Amino acid sequence: MPVREKRRKRHSDEARNEGLTAARELLLSEGPAAVTLARVGKMIGMSHTNVIHHFGSAAGLQTALMGSMIRDLAGALDEAVSQLRTDAAAPSILIDQVWTAFDEGGAGQLAAWLVLTREVDHLEPIRQAVLDLVSAVKEKYASEPSADDRIRSIVLLIAIAAFGDAVIGPHLRGMLDQDSDAGRKLMTRLLPVLVMG
């Protein structure tokens, strides 16, 4: 990880945002154990004491990072709902939005971290975004009341597949000699079949 510029004066919001950006980079590149006050401080050119001033503690930094990433995930799901309701290429866009949120957006790493540390209460803010996604899929593909359980199962499958692809996918794809977007393409092909089935 490159060390950022030497220490400089910055506003509180700016310092927190830089700290959260650095913490996310550490989480995605090296895992949860790398998200420490010292490592974040080094990356943004800030003393350990100043990082504590902005986040309170290592737990405060981690909680702030979780909150930030959860908000980003909820935003990505909201965008997927919006696209699904307005775009003819919706299945592909929906899968791309969810896959990007879990992979490049870091939701896969975040979810693994939350589950392994038993911090799943942090996932509560995305409940409504997930329910909105169920409603949007149902509106797009199946209006009958009996479709509700099937649609919920499909959204569950999409989320679990995106999570698994983000966390273990790179290793499995290597073993199976598959392209980096193999899981994404497979789910894109399966979605219309599952919804209509």
Side-chain angles (χ1 to χ4, degrees):
M1 246 341 114
V3 177
R4 298 208 177 136
E5 305 193 0
K6 65 180 187 173
R7 293 181 186 148
R8 59 185 169 76
K9 269 278 207 216
R10 59 195 106 183
H11 295 291
S12 182
D13 286 347
E14 181 186 8
R16 279 183 64 85
N17 288 338
E18 287 181 17
L20 290 173
T21 298
R24 184 185 294 231
E25 288 175 20
L26 287 166
L27 173 65
L28 296 183
S29 64
E30 300 180 42
V35 183
T36 66
L37 296 170
R39 293 286 303 278
V40 167
K42 185 175 181 182
M43 283 184 70
I44 63 174
M46 185 182 286
S47 72
H48 185 269
T49 303
N50 279 339
V51 179
I52 290 174
H53 169 74
H54 292 291
F55 293 101
S57 63
L61 168 65
Q62 292 168 354
T63 297
L65 175 60
M66 290 173 184
S68 172
M69 293 180 76
I70 288 291
R71 286 189 296 277
D72 288 351
L73 175 58
L77 292 174
D78 287 344
E79 180 63 23
V81 167
S82 175
Q83 293 286 343
L84 193 58
R85 288 185 168 141
T86 60
D87 201 301
S92 174
I93 291 169
L94 170 63
I95 298 302
D96 278 346
Q97 294 270 1
V98 174
W99 243 253
T100 299
F102 274 85
D103 190 6
E104 293 97 341
Q109 294 290 334
L110 174 66
W113 186 19
L114 292 174
V115 169
L116 291 173
T117 58
R118 307 291 192 261
E119 298 280 347
V120 291
D121 289 350
H122 288 284
L123 290 170
E124 186 59 29
I126 66 164
R127 175 186 295 274
Q128 192 56 51
V130 170
L131 294 177
D132 289 346
L133 184 56
V134 169
S135 296
V137 172
K138 188 175 174 187
E139 284 170 24
K140 186 79 173 183
Y141 296 107
S143 57
E144 73 276 6
S146 61
D148 197 55
D149 284 343
R150 189 172 79 248
I151 300 300
R152 287 173 183 267
S153 296
I154 291 165
V155 170
L156 175 64
L157 178 63
I158 292 168
I160 289 174
F163 168 74
D165 195 66
V167 175
I168 192 87
H171 308 287
L172 288 174
R173 288 191 305 269
M175 293 174 199
L176 297 168
D177 196 28
Q178 296 286 302
D179 293 338
S180 61
D181 60 351
R184 188 182 302 226
K185 286 179 177 174
L186 175 62
M187 189 53 67
T188 300
R189 288 195 308 270
L190 283 177
L191 179 59
V193 176
L194 293 170
V195 172
M196 298 306 183

